[in-house]
Amino acid sequence: MIDPALFDIAIIGGGPAGQAAAQQTLAAGLSTTMIDEQARPGGQILRQPPPAFAVKGWMAGRLYRPLRRLLAQTEADARLKWRGATSVAGIERIGDHFRLTLSGTHGGTLLARRVLIAAGCYDMPVAMPGWTLPGVMSAGAVQTMLKSQQVVAGQPIVLLGSHPLLLVLATQILDAGGEVAAVLMPQTYGRMVLAALPYLAGAMFTPGPLMAAGAAMARLRRAGVPLMMGARPVGFTGDGRLEAVDYAWCGRTHRIAAQAAAVSYGFLPQSDLPRQVGAAVRWARPAGGWETICDGAMRSSIPGLYVAGETTGVAGADAAMAEGTIAGIAMAMDAGARAPFDMARAQARRARLQPFINLLRAVADPGDVWPLATPETLLCRCEDISVAQVAATIDRLPAMADASAVKHRCRIGMGLCQGRSCEHALVRRIAAARGCDPDAVAPFRTRFPARPLPFDEIIG
Amino acid sequence: MSRLVPGVTRPAPFAIAIDGAMIPAHPGETLAAAMVAAGAYRMRDDRSGAPRGMLCNMGTCSECFVWIAMEDGWRRRRACLTLAEDGMRIATHEAPL
């Protein structure tokens, strides 16, 4: 190495995709560093407890076994330069390498010849009345709180939304001794089965997740937790914090008391870093957000920049692991080195997972069961911009206005989260107003920093 | 009590102050975990004074920004990514002077 800070490979994200890629690049003899906002590797799927905790039988389920094995190998590999508790705030391409601007425990800048963005996804924030009340959380928030901190985020808890992840989360809360008041899913059982049918035969090749869903439903029945299909969440109420969830069922509105709520209508790929460096993205289906476009070897449209896992479209941890292996092999090959695993075999492994991914996407699609916001509902949670303000702004702008034009007029998306919560909803609303596809609406221009930075880190 | 007890061993807790009220936190816990475990869901106020709490628990949404007393003054940090420390003082409602 000419410059001690110049790595062959920088991997953003310590989840299954990043770990699988690192395995290949390290075995190929390439200097590799991995950056993650969490203190320990694992990603959200295996978000680890603090080192000071001892947790018996942590994530012992069979479906997690390959992921746990990969994690153990990653943590034991002394060649990997791990940078935990560190955010990537910026990425630029300079000549034939990349410069990353970091914040946190390993702050500063870092240079790398090749970069893999395996930054995962996040729960799609869905605006509905009362959703800003403390106690209303994403399903992912509740799940990671349980996996990592061993804390049930409130009880009784109501789980609601169109994504079957809720079934898994419900059993995890029950196993932890928590109290689940109800699981509310807006799609009817019949619609769910119909959506699954075209993909069912193919998905039988990877039966694990299907069996897990069935087992979860049986577990809920045994525990006496109502799983209400066709129950459409209406909103949240409470004085200063969540006290109850309202839902429509069989033509009437019902109220159920809850200290906490976990919401899941799907997941959005983390897209701020690919967009900041100029990689081509497209509207993800069905949930929305932007997935980074790549070739069969996970190469993005920017030379030297690779993407894997949910960054390329939300498909789950097994797909992320398979894509990470492909990206690792590709990075090694492109660097003139040789990875231990065969590219064609890695690609075949990824392809086998596709039928189940298609099934899950079809079943989870919020399509015609989106919750409804009222004019007063806040769409932008950082700048406190309501649905009515956004609608009025869209109405006043010329027909071809893009997301940034709306942002400049009413401040939607200008806050600390950089539009991660509201941008997808804004693009949907602009597309509906224009009668076009979301793909035809230009999103916000993504800017540095991708994460909020302490002021003293900026001025150095 | 929302901390899982069977099968989980934690180091002995210390105390942190949330708006002056003392709550326990175990070494290794994030501020968000300690606050949620204590039922302290309110982490910041929006412009209208309405309370807000954690949404994503993974550093993405910035809803859990709390004020933390540091050596050189009060600083805002994401509660879900910040480890609780012995004697930490947190403010949620407004910028303390």
Side-chain angles (χ1 to χ4, degrees), chain A residues 385-404:
Chain A
I385 313 296
S386 69
V387 165
Q389 283 169 281
V390 172
T393 309
I394 293 173
D395 280 349
R396 278 199 303 273
L397 283 166
M400 291 309 288
D402 60 13
S404 289

Side-chain angles (χ1 to χ4, degrees), chain A residues 50-76:
Chain A
F53 285 26
V55 181
K56 263 202 199 118
W58 180 74
M59 301 300 287
R62 209 161 49 88
L63 286 180
Y64 296 106
R65 206 174 289 159
L67 299 167
R68 283 205 319 273
R69 199 162 44 227
L70 176 63
L71 180 56
Q73 286 164 355
T74 302
E75 292 203 294

